[in-house]
Amino acid sequence: VRQTSYQVAFLPDLLPFEADAARTEDAESAKVLHESLKRVYEASGIPVVIVPVGTIEERVDFILASL
């Protein structure tokens, strides 16, 4: 992360947790990973914008409006 020149990181908010065969983590692990990603970006001086839960179109619109 430090060797890049990101101006902002868009981090999608967590969706409601649903266990399935493809998931390797539980709900608590997913939260820990999400917070870890946020902390790493912020510690690197990269502002983090949390993208709220919504449809794909709503998330895209949110990101585009935030640019």
Side-chain angles (χ1 to χ4, degrees), residues 19-56:
D20 61 30
R23 277 199 187 265
T24 59
E25 74 278 341
D26 58 18
E28 186 58 33
S29 296
K31 289 178 188 176
V32 169
L33 177 58
H34 189 265
E35 287 303 313
S36 296
L37 288 168
K38 185 174 183 270
R39 278 195 310 275
V40 167
Y41 281 123
E42 290 173 338
S44 299
I46 301 168
V48 175
V49 175
I50 302 296
V51 180
V53 173
T55 65
I56 293 172

